[in-house]
């Protein structure tokens, strides 16, 4: 399957191309290694498009899905399931290459033992505080632990005791013996294993020692014969440790780590810890709340896999950290939906129009194009009746210049139907307009009005007799500032209180009431909408989410 048309070039693909040319590898083997401690977000999508993308582009290549599940305290089967579903939805597949780091615990243990045997690892039994104080800082070298020079036999015995649950949590760790004065803090005898009496979602209570990321990750890569281990830039100064582990452990292959810039988006937080907090504190309805930057949230919002892949393609792969404008993602969504979503009519803020010149029982079939930009997608029939709903802001008593829609004495076209002229209107006691009275101009379906009558706009409408009530959810950005991570009082202080508004009695054309969940369409003149994956029930409870407005109304509001 190929998901991207254009051939792509970036420094990682160039490196792979030259590794193949030199004969270093026959084919690249990459991996996507999520920790199952949250749902995938748009940053993960970037990494997925890179790793699985490479597997699609190079002959004989493949990409593994590996759950980096080495920390039982935060991991959960729910996350394992959602991650697989999201990757498939994005259009990628690991085939039979599904791995769990937790299935490699024996191998990690063997490697730790091998390091001890070589005199390259020791069990440190100081307190966490003592160890912290000895680490030094960038300007001060660290100090050696009093346990640093234990004998191999003693280290073996104590590590065995750690493994057997004979030492309480926090009272011993296994450390690599590297260099306490290294200018790279990661090399100052980093922790390899810690004690944790926690039940693991895969291995249960078999283990009470768990490997640290920097030790386990290179071993996982080597175990799976990964050729190119691609990670984000924060890990650049962990690379010497990655290489040290590969160099000194009995590994079956020699993977190489290469870093690229992570994705950061304006008006968005991406850290799983913060996303979890939003969920746990019920600031959003769940991981798949349509305002969340998660893959499942974007799916529910109505973003499409192609739009997300195109976005990842557009931003490309570089070594420069940057803050990407979320408007670019929204642009990509609009582009894809504009090309593929059919058009339908819905009125969000309804105002009744009575066409006095039509007989009471009028049901005039009107042919409207499913997609005015793609006539090949055919027509559908909607029924025009004596009373129709129009959008409240398509009528004005005192229209300003350049307002070409309905007003007393003015003529507009009901999309696909007649031109109608406003002759009167009704108001309630407070002066609010409750009804607009019009006359239709016979013969104007598919034809211009007679000479001398100006009709400069076509507005959308729904027959009051056939309209179905629907709930429409209008989403806005979750945060009010570009960089919520930098907010002085924390990211929660800049939550947008108006990020969700619910319209409970919008009027939709009847065909919309029976679509299946995840049906995408453009509500003419309003934006792109999707039938909600969770709450929409075809035929009984129509619920639509606004995916994105037609144009960037936010930018206008900001001005
Ligand atoms: P977070 O920092 O949001 O908690 P993480 O890096 O801890 O994310 P993992 O599950 O460990 O989450 O990530 C799996 C893979 O996705 C890693 O290879 C990581 O580099 C990549 N990844 C995570 N966030 C981003 C991002 N914002 N941009 C690009 N790649 C990312
Ligand atoms: Mg991580």
């Amino acid at each position: 399957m190929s998901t991207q048309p254009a051939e792509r070039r970036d420094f990682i693909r160039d490196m792979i191309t030259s590794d193949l040319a030199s004969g270093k590898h026959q084919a690249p083997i990459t991996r996507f290694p999520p920790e199952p401690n949250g749902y995938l977000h748009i940053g993960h999508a970037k990494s997925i498009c890179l790793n699985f993308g490479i597997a699609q582009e190079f002959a004989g290549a493949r990409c593994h899905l590996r759950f980096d599940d080495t920390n039982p305290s935060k991991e959960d089967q729910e996350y394992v399931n959602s991650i697989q579903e999201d990757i498939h939805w994005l259009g990628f597949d690991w085939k039979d290459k599904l791995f769990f780091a937790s299935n490699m615990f024996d191998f990690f243990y063997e490697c730790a033992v091998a390091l001890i045997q070589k005199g390259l690892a020791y069990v440190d039994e100081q307190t966490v505080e003592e160890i912290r104080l000895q680490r030094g800082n960038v300007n001060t070298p660290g100090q050696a632990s009093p346990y640093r020079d234990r004998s191999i036999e003693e280290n073996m015995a104590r590590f065995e005791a750690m493994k057997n649950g004979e030492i309480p949590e926090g009272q011993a760790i296994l450390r690599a013996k590297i260099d306490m004065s290294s200018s790279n803090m990661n090399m100052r005898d980093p922790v390899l294993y810690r004690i944790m009496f926690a039940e693991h979602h895969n291995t249960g209570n078999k283990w009470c020692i768990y490997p640290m990321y920097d030790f386990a990750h290179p071993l996982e890569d080597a175990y799976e014969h990964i050729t190119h281990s691609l990670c984000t830039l924060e890990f650049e100064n962990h690379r010497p440790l990655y290489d040290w582990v590969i160099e000194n452990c009995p590994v079956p292959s020699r993977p190489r780590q290469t870093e690229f810039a992570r994705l950061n988006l304006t008006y968005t937080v991406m850290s799983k810890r913060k996303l979890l907090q939003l969920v746990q504190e019920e600031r959003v309805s769940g991981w798949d709340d349509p305002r969340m930057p998660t893959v499942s949230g974007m799916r529910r919002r109505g973003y499409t896999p192609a739009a997300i892949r195109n976005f990842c393609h557009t931003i490309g792969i570089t070594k420069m950290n940057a803050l990407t404008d979320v408007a670019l993602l929204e642009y990509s969504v609009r582009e894809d939906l504009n090309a593929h979503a059919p058009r339908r009519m819905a009125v969000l803020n309804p105002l009744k129009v009575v066409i006095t010149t039509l007989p009471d029982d009028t049901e005039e079939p009107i042919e409207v194009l499913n997609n005015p930009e793609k006539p090949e997608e055919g027509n559908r029939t909607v029924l025009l009746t004596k009373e129709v709903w129009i959008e409240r802001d398509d009528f004005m008593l005192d229209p300003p210049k350049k307002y070409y829609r309905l007003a007393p004495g003015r003529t507009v076209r009901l999309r696909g139907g007649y031109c109608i002229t406003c002759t009167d209107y009704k108001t309630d006691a407070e002066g609010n307009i409750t009804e607009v009275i019009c006359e239709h101009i016979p013969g104007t379906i598919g034809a211009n009005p007679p000479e001398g009558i100006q009709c400069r706009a076509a507005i959308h409408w729904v027959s009051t007799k056939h309209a179905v009530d629907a709930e429409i959810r209008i989403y806005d950005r979750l945060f009010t500032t570009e960089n919520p991570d930098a907010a002085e009082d924390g990211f929660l202080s800049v939550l947008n209180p108006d990020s969700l508004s619910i319209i409970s009695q919008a009027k939709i054309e009847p065909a919309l009431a029976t679509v299946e969940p995840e049906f995408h369409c453009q509500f003419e003149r309003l934006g792109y909408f999707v039938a909600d994956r969770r709450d929409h029930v075809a035929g009984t409870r129509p619920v639509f989410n606004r995916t994105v407005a037609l144009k960037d109304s936010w930018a206008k509001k900001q001005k």
Side-chain angles (χ1 to χ4, degrees), residues 33-35 37 44 68 213 234-235 272:
E35 182 179 355
N37 62 353
H44 293 119
D68 200 355
Y213 177 89
E234 320 82 89
F235 291 100
K272 278 189 276 190

Side-chain angles (χ1 to χ4, degrees), residues 44-323:
H44 293 119
K46 174 178 179 174
S47 177
I48 289 169
C49 288
L50 174 64
N51 284 292
F52 284 98
I54 286 168
Q56 290 176 346
E57 292 158 33
F58 290 88
R62 61 178 199 252
C63 178
H64 297 187
L65 169 59
R66 177 202 310 147
F67 287 101
D68 200 355
D69 55 349
T70 53
N71 181 358
S73 66
K74 293 189 204 152
E75 296 159 4
D76 198 279
Q77 187 64 35
E78 176 193 351
Y79 301 134
V80 172
N81 298 344
S82 74
I83 288 168
Q84 299 192 40
E85 184 180 352
D86 288 348
I87 296 171
H88 276 149
W89 180 77
L90 281 171
F92 298 104
D93 189 19
W94 51 91
K95 309 213 169 84
D96 59 342
K97 302 299 175 195
L98 173 63
F99 294 85
F100 288 84
S102 55
N103 288 335
M104 305 171 199
F105 282 159
D106 286 326
F107 173 59
F108 303 150
Y109 184 77
E110 282 163 29
C111 289
V113 168
L115 289 177
I116 294 173
Q117 301 275 355
K118 285 184 176 179
L120 292 176
Y122 61 97
V123 174
D124 195 334
E125 299 184 51
Q126 300 182 95
T127 65
V128 175
E129 185 58 15
E130 284 166 331
I131 292 173
R132 199 184 58 79
L133 289 172
Q134 286 164 357
R135 260 190 108 213
N137 56 40
V138 202
N139 305 311
T140 328
Q143 297 154 31
S145 158
Y147 295 93
R148 197 170 198 263
D149 291 316
R150 288 178 138 179
S151 69
I152 289 173
E153 293 67 36
E154 198 179 355
N155 277 315
M156 282 301 297
R158 296 308 285 159
F159 189 47
E160 187 83 14
M162 279 173 68
K163 179 190 177 222
N164 293 338
E166 293 156 20
I167 307 180
E169 222 166 278
Q171 297 204 359
I173 53 175
L174 183 72
R175 297 178 73 176
K177 191 169 175 179
I178 307 181
D179 180 2
M180 285 307 290
S181 56
S182 173
S183 58
N184 184 337
M185 298 296 288
N186 295 309
M187 300 298 270
R188 293 188 184 177
D189 290 10
V191 184
L192 303 180
Y193 261 100
R194 65 204 188 291
I195 299 168
M196 207 190 282
F197 291 95
E199 183 165 318
H200 191 279
H201 74 100
N202 179 24
T203 56
N205 292 310
K206 180 171 175 207
W207 296 87
C208 62
I209 53 171
Y210 290 94
M212 302 301 289
Y213 177 89
D214 281 334
F215 178 56
H217 207 84
L219 295 178
E220 294 158 19
D221 286 340
Y223 184 91
E224 295 175 28
H225 293 258
I226 299 302
T227 57
H228 298 84
S229 177
L230 311 175
C231 65
T232 42
L233 282 175
E234 320 82 89
F235 291 100
E236 194 162 18
N237 59 7
H238 295 238
R239 190 175 354 122
L241 178 52
Y242 184 103
D243 292 340
W244 184 93
V245 171
I246 295 296
E247 189 65 36
N248 292 295
C249 290
V251 292
S253 79
R254 300 179 68 84
R256 170 172 163 194
Q257 173 180 307
T258 305
E259 308 83 16
F260 64 95
R262 68 190 290 113
L263 170 66
N264 302 300
L265 272 186
T266 55
Y267 298 97
T268 308
V269 299
M270 214 98 88
S271 135
K272 278 189 276 190
R273 182 179 60 75
K274 291 179 182 167
L275 297 179
L276 178 64
Q277 196 179 344
L278 290 170
V279 173
Q280 285 179 335
E281 293 182 8
E282 298 184 12
R283 312 280 182 152
V284 294
S285 65
W287 284 99
D288 69 348
D289 185 297
R291 293 164 294 182
M292 290 281 271
T294 51
V295 173
S296 55
M298 291 183 174
R299 174 177 182 178
R300 202 170 155 200
R301 174 82 171 253
Y303 288 18
T304 57
I308 295 174
R309 291 194 305 260
N310 291 340
F311 167 72
C312 291
H313 178 33
T314 306
I315 56 175
I317 300 293
T318 70
K319 267 202 179 278
M320 237 122 64
N321 272 324
L323 187 58

